[in-house]
């Protein structure tokens, strides 16, 4: 089974979608001891795939140094409309916004709360980070009037041009999807990720979608690896497989 873990923020006021810096380091140290972190499609004896959504600047500031320190890999899901080429903003400014302020008005431009393309390139070139498309505008793909072609296909083209790196993963914003969105995503990406707290028998996922377990708001560094929690993931995986569910 391939466990894929989903994280968002570090040190954010949005507590259900965040871990503290200390918790993340203790957790990643355990991950490095017990697993081999892989990018989508890669095999290992005891694999785990770490994914971080939304490409907040706190990823570059807190997590990227930890990935280097513990020799780990992570997939970063990027909503390309919010990404600046570069910024002069100070780290303190970039980390200062409350979560609900990040997407308001032109804060993404004035406060640069997301990673820049310069930072994304540096991380990809380090070999510790791969980039996934997380749509262009971070929209719910099932909403009326959404331009699926732009959100799913153009977002990939932009990231590949800016980064000079093949983007073969798509992470569904809010974990939401319908048949049209999944069909288009599967046509353009070998790996399409959702939420759902199940494990994956292979990189085919279940019904063509790769499930992720929640890694935010950890209460202990080893919370995800505790037997009862693991049993829950296995149970859910078997139910999904039996139902042949997406
Ligand atoms: Zn997201």
């Amino acid at each position: 089974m391939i466990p894929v873990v989903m994280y968002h923020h570090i040190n954010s006021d949005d507590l259900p979608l965040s871990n503290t810096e200390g918790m993340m380091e203790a957790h990643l140290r355990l991950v490095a001891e017990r697993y081999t972190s892989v990018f989508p499609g890669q095999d290992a004896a005891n694999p785990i795939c770490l994914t971080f959504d939304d490409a907040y600047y706190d990823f570059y500031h807190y997590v990227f140094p930890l990935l280097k320190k513990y020799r780990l890999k992570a997939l970063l899901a990027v909503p390309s409309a919010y990404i600046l080429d570069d910024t002069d903003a100070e780290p303190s400014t970039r980390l200062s916004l409350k979560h609900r302020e990040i997407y308001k008005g032109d804060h993404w431009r004035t406060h640069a709360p997301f990673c820049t393309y310069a930072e994304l390139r540096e991380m990809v070139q380090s070999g510790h980070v791969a980039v996934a498309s997380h749509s262009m505008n971070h929209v719910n793909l099932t909403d009326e009037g959404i331009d699926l072609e732009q959100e799913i296909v153009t977002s990939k083209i932009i990231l590949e041009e800016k980064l000079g790196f093949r983007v073969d993963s798509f992470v569904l914003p809010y974990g939401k999807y319908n048949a049209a969105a999944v069909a288009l995503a599967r046509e353009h990406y070998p790996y399409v990720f959702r939420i759902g707290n199940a494990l994956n028998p292979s990189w085919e996922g279940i019904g063509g979608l790769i499930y992720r377990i929640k890694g935010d708001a950890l209460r202990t560094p080893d919370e995800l690896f505790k037997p009862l929690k693991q049993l829950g993931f296995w149970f859910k995986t078997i139910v999904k497989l039996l139902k042949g569910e997406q």
Side-chain angles (χ1 to χ4, degrees), residues 53-54 134 138:
D53 282 11
D54 309 337
H134 194 33
H138 202 269

Side-chain angles (χ1 to χ4, degrees), residues 93-131:
T93 304
R94 302 179 67 188
L95 296 169
S96 68
L97 292 177
K98 293 200 182 317
H99 176 77
R100 62 182 167 77
E101 295 172 332
I102 288 177
Y103 292 92
K104 271 195 187 155
D106 64 352
H107 281 169
W108 65 277
R109 203 190 294 274
T110 56
H111 289 64
F114 295 91
C115 299
T116 62
Y117 280 117
E119 289 159 351
L120 293 177
R121 266 194 300 275
E122 178 194 340
M123 291 193 285
V124 165
Q125 283 163 6
S126 78
H128 291 281
V129 175
V131 163

